[in-house]
Amino acid sequence: MAYRRIMGLDVGSVTIGVALSDLMGWTAQGLETIRINESQNDFGFDRLAEIIQTENIETVVIGLPKNMNNTIGPRAEASLAFGQRLKQRFPQLTIEYQDERLTTVQAERFLIQEGNVRRRKRKQVIDKMAAVMILQNYLDRQTK
């Protein structure tokens, strides 16, 4: 039986945090942060293609940063557009969206309180940590 992992993404305008599920689809682990340039249409698809192939990804969960009143703002629109581009490039993938309100705030709080991580280091890992929270929330929702 071939196991397939699920990939979680926290898509920003400068970086994409990447997380992967374990082989059973129970837990999320941070993988890396990919630098992108949204204004130049560089979305890190070459690196994502490597991960998708190497890790046998079939589902990608993209964080959807809705406004607090549950509406779709510019960042959520950018995440939806990213998902559409990803689906066009990799039609075999299932693209899912996970409400990610406050995940970046939660990730930063966690890194400050639990990890005692300095500000400079936090900036380097916060997107990856947010991707873990997005994916873990999705995985938890699947098991209910």
Side-chain angles (χ1 to χ4, degrees), residues 45 81-93 95:
F45 288 143
F82 179 89
Q84 290 172 342
R85 286 186 192 99
L86 194 64
K87 183 68 174 177
Q88 287 171 349
R89 178 130 181 205
F90 308 101
Q92 78 278 13
L93 292 176
I95 307 294

Side-chain angles (χ1 to χ4, degrees), residues 12-127:
S13 59
V14 179
T15 60
I16 298 175
V18 181
L20 297 177
S21 70
D22 66 330
L23 292 174
M24 300 299 289
W26 294 341
T27 62
Q29 295 90 31
L31 181 66
E32 66 184 77
T33 301
I34 300 170
R35 299 226 24 108
I36 65 170
N37 189 330
E38 192 177 63
S39 64
Q40 294 182 357
N41 288 325
D42 172 11
F43 295 103
F45 288 143
D46 291 342
R47 178 61 187 134
L48 288 172
E50 292 172 8
I51 298 168
I52 289 164
Q53 184 175 8
T54 304
E55 299 296 340
N56 204 21
I57 303 295
E58 69 177 9
T59 301
V60 176
V61 179
I62 299 171
L64 189 62
K66 292 181 176 181
N67 295 323
M68 293 308 290
N69 65 0
N70 206 32
T71 60
I72 302 291
R75 282 311 319 157
E77 287 175 1
S79 291
L80 292 167
F82 179 89
Q84 290 172 342
R85 286 186 192 99
L86 194 64
K87 183 68 174 177
Q88 287 171 349
R89 178 130 181 205
F90 308 101
Q92 78 278 13
L93 292 176
T94 299
I95 307 294
E96 300 274 352
Y97 296 93
Q98 174 66 41
D99 186 349
E100 69 152 291
R101 283 176 280 189
L102 302 179
T103 55
T104 302
V105 173
Q106 290 172 328
E108 187 162 26
R109 249 188 225 137
F110 176 81
L111 291 170
I112 290 169
Q113 294 172 352
E114 301 298 322
N116 196 19
V117 179
R118 295 187 188 279
R119 180 180 301 272
R120 174 180 251 167
K121 183 69 174 169
R122 277 198 313 265
K123 283 185 168 189
Q124 295 172 357
V125 299
I126 197 153
D127 295 322

